[in-house]
Amino acid sequence: MRIALIGYGKMGKEIEQQALEKDVQVTARFDSKNSDISKATHDFDVAVHFAAPGPVVRHVEACARAKKNMVIGTTGWTKDMGKVWSIVQDQDIGLVHATNFSVGVNIFFQMIKHSAKSFDRFVEYDVFVQETHHKDKADSPSGTALTIAEILMQRIKRKKELLNTPPTGRIKPEQLHVSSTRAGSVIGAHSVIFDSSADSIELTHNAKNRSGFALGALLAAEWVHGKQGIFTMEDVLSDVIP
Ligand SMILES: NC(=O)c1ccc[n+]([C@@H]2O[C@H](COP(=O)([O-])OP(=O)(O)OC[C@H]3O[C@@H](n4cnc5c(N)ncnc54)[C@H](OP(=O)(O)O)[C@@H]3O)[C@@H](O)[C@H]2O)c1
């Protein structure tokens, strides 16, 4: 399979490194100075997007016109999702999107789903989320923390509202507090804490490097090749982990 890397920064280079070890050829690379994808669509089968949120719609349009499937790992473009979904559906291409492509994180999500379901019936337990990333991260809270918050609020009925700014006083019981720290060179750390006066249970995922994201993105690119529709990493993994 031939892939194009849209975004050739930290993630693009990590994906290229791992592609070398698999039967995947990187045949096109785009960055902010060379971003006209329409000129090179004959060169690849699937585009893997780890770039910036601003040009996502334009890049999806260019790939869709050429009937090229995509994997999008770029974060911070939720406001454009409606536009992207209609382009993908109108042009019958395939897209896998995820705020976190790490296989470990996606299994971590499954663990959170299971725990949240159990704690839903025990009002004695409060729940909160903490995340830490390197000082250069553009978005806050992280896309992964927002996904975790969504998972929790869908399963713990007493948590109805996301609080992701520093509280100015007592927080309301229905608020789910998600706190973010930006410091140093931390690749990505996420914790979900279920806390009561009796005990505290903490689930933590620590990314040690970017290789887990790259592995998942390549797995998704191979999986989506030849498919049509909008998918998440959960769909990809449910084929691998029934
Ligand atoms: N979903 C996940 O699992 C996951 C994991 C890690 C990161 N991410 C996300 O992936 C994105 C990239 O992360 P990164 O760490 O690789 O960032 P990075 O090191 O800053 O690299 C960004 C790359 O995107 C390029 N770019 C910027 N504007 C572009 C445009 N208009 N057209 C084409 N390329 C463009 C940059 O080009 P220049 O070099 O010319 O500036 C650079 O090559 C971020 O949104 C990040 O949050 C997602």
Side-chain angles (χ1 to χ4, degrees):
M1 191 182 61
R2 302 168 312 154
I3 61 166
L5 296 173
I6 306 180
Y8 193 53
K10 291 183 281 298
M11 277 306 300
K13 287 177 182 138
E14 181 69 41
I15 293 166
E16 180 170 53
Q17 190 59 38
Q18 291 209 18
L20 285 173
E21 294 158 23
K22 293 173 153 261
D23 197 14
V24 176
Q25 272 179 281
V26 177
T27 48
R29 296 161 193 80
F30 302 96
D31 60 19
S32 65
K33 294 164 285 290
N34 160 36
S35 74
D36 191 355
I37 289 139
S38 56
K39 280 190 190 149
T41 42
H42 53 278
D43 279 343
F44 61 87
D45 303 310
V46 176
V48 180
H49 197 288
F50 282 82
V56 164
V57 173
R58 182 163 52 83
H59 291 159
V60 173
E61 274 167 353
C63 288
R65 260 197 306 276
K67 301 282 184 206
K68 300 293 174 177
N69 283 0
M70 294 186 83
V71 168
I72 304 185
T74 301
T75 55
W77 54 279
T78 39
K79 69 171 175 42
D80 292 323
M81 273 186 168
K83 268 187 226 159
V84 168
W85 290 178
S86 50
I87 300 165
V88 170
Q89 280 159 350
D90 289 351
Q91 297 293 331
D92 285 333
I93 62 162
L95 165 73
V96 183
H97 67 101
T99 55
N100 197 313
F101 271 96
S102 150
V103 169
V105 160
N106 282 278
I107 294 172
F108 179 57
F109 289 159
Q110 298 299 336
M111 294 161 76
I112 298 168
K113 282 180 189 170
H114 181 78
S115 311
K117 229 172 110 192
S118 304
F119 282 112
D120 180 39
R121 56 191 298 254
F122 293 103
V123 292
E124 294 82 359
Y125 285 84
D126 198 11
V127 57
F128 57 101
V129 180
Q130 295 177 328
E131 60 103 344
T132 307
H133 282 86
H134 56 89
K135 59 185 167 38
D136 297 324
K137 183 161 178 63
D139 48 330
S140 173
S142 67
T144 305
L146 292 174
T147 303
I148 292 172
E150 211 178 289
I151 290 172
L152 292 170
M153 289 196 295
Q154 278 167 1
R155 287 165 183 81
I156 302 182
K157 291 181 213 75
R158 59 189 173 279
K159 289 294 177 188
K160 296 181 169 56
E161 188 191 318
L162 177 68
L163 175 67
N164 60 12
T165 51
T168 50
R170 283 176 81 117
I171 76 160
K172 297 180 203 148
E174 65 271 24
Q175 288 181 317
L176 172 67
H177 192 199
V178 175
S179 61
S180 302
T181 303
R182 294 290 171 264
S185 53
V186 181
I187 305 274
H190 294 87
S191 293
V192 177
I193 298 113
F194 299 94
D195 188 73
S196 77
S197 58
D199 53 14
S200 187
I201 295 102
E202 186 166 335
L203 302 175
T204 297
H205 178 273
N206 268 309
K208 293 185 181 174
N209 52 47
R210 291 179 175 79
S211 65
F213 306 130
L215 175 74
L218 284 171
L219 185 70
E222 285 175 312
W223 183 89
V224 81
H225 189 27
K227 290 193 171 64
Q228 290 175 346
I230 297 164
F231 307 98
T232 67
M233 204 46 193
E234 200 177 343
D235 299 306
V236 177
L237 287 179
S238 65
D239 267 4
V240 185
I241 315 165

